[in-house]
Amino acid sequence: MSSPVSPSLKDLPKVNLDLKSELEGFKTVNMKKAETQEKNVLPTAEDVKQERQHSELIQGVESFKTERLKRTNTQEKIVLPNAQDVATEKTQKALLQGVEAFDTGKLKHTETQEKNLLPDKDAIEQEKEKQNLFAGIENFDTKKLKHTETQEKNPLPTKEAIDEEKKA
């Protein structure tokens, strides 16, 4: 490998003259002093432990040798249906076959008559009376009412009358 060569003056990027004059006249003594604080948060011990466990698990899976596995035979246990299940299935199958094999040509043609039952006269009259009553209540004009004063016709006895009665 060759040693690095510094670029020639014509290869350097061109800088605006105003910026160039500012950079040349810049003095570092005019800068304010500042304390630099490095904020690099380190992981906790638990984070490190979890990461180590995870990496060990991944490494264990990647380096696992399938030759270590033993051959096994799976035994399938077949549960046979009981008599009730068989009977239910047979009846469902027979019903489905009956519906599928049904001949619609055997049906008789019928005319459908729609009946709209109307209420009798008594029910209609009761409904009309009810509607008239509601209409009368809703449309009642309160301006037709007269002002009245209540007169007490059964006054309570006075205290003197009660005392007199107790003496007698």
Side-chain angles (χ1 to χ4, degrees), residues 134-153:
F134 285 144
I137 293 171
E138 290 172 354
N139 299 328
F140 181 73
D141 187 13
T142 56
K143 293 177 183 175
K144 292 182 180 177
L145 295 175
K146 296 178 186 175
H147 180 71
T148 60
E149 292 204 20
T150 307
Q151 293 180 355
E152 200 174 308
K153 294 203 176 186

Side-chain angles (χ1 to χ4, degrees), residues 10-69:
K10 66 176 183 175
D11 293 335
L12 291 174
K14 304 295 182 213
V15 179
N16 192 352
L17 291 175
D18 295 336
L19 182 62
K20 187 175 181 180
S21 63
E22 281 184 38
L23 290 174
E24 288 173 349
F26 182 72
K27 296 178 183 172
T28 58
V29 291
N30 294 339
M31 294 177 67
K32 293 181 183 177
K33 299 277 182 187
E35 227 19 76
T36 306
Q37 293 181 353
E38 193 171 328
K39 294 184 179 179
N40 189 3
V41 180
L42 296 175
T44 63
E46 188 171 319
D47 292 339
V48 173
K49 181 181 175 184
Q50 285 179 349
E51 190 174 338
R52 186 176 298 133
Q53 285 177 345
H54 181 69
S55 64
E56 287 173 359
L57 176 70
I58 298 297
Q59 185 181 8
V61 170
E62 289 174 349
S63 64
F64 182 75
K65 296 180 182 174
T66 56
E67 296 85 37
R68 290 183 180 172
L69 295 176

Side-chain angles (χ1 to χ4, degrees), residues 14-130:
K14 304 295 182 213
V15 179
N16 192 352
L17 291 175
D18 295 336
L19 182 62
K20 187 175 181 180
S21 63
E22 281 184 38
L23 290 174
E24 288 173 349
F26 182 72
K27 296 178 183 172
T28 58
V29 291
N30 294 339
M31 294 177 67
K32 293 181 183 177
K33 299 277 182 187
E35 227 19 76
T36 306
Q37 293 181 353
E38 193 171 328
K39 294 184 179 179
N40 189 3
V41 180
L42 296 175
T44 63
E46 188 171 319
D47 292 339
V48 173
K49 181 181 175 184
Q50 285 179 349
E51 190 174 338
R52 186 176 298 133
Q53 285 177 345
H54 181 69
S55 64
E56 287 173 359
L57 176 70
I58 298 297
Q59 185 181 8
V61 170
E62 289 174 349
S63 64
F64 182 75
K65 296 180 182 174
T66 56
E67 296 85 37
R68 290 183 180 172
L69 295 176
K70 296 178 183 175
R71 180 78 181 148
T72 61
N73 292 326
T74 305
Q75 295 179 348
E76 293 184 20
K77 295 182 179 179
I78 300 173
V79 178
L80 296 175
N82 59 19
Q84 185 180 3
D85 293 339
V86 172
T88 306
E89 191 174 334
K90 280 185 181 179
T91 55
Q92 288 177 350
K93 193 172 184 180
L95 287 172
L96 284 174
Q97 285 177 349
V99 170
E100 290 172 353
F102 183 73
D103 184 17
T104 56
K106 293 180 182 178
L107 295 175
K108 296 178 186 175
H109 182 70
T110 59
E111 290 291 327
T112 305
Q113 294 179 353
E114 291 186 26
K115 294 184 179 180
N116 189 2
L117 297 176
L118 296 175
D120 59 345
K121 280 187 174 184
D122 294 336
I124 292 173
E125 286 181 27
Q126 285 179 351
E127 186 70 26
K128 277 186 183 178
E129 287 177 13
K130 190 176 179 182

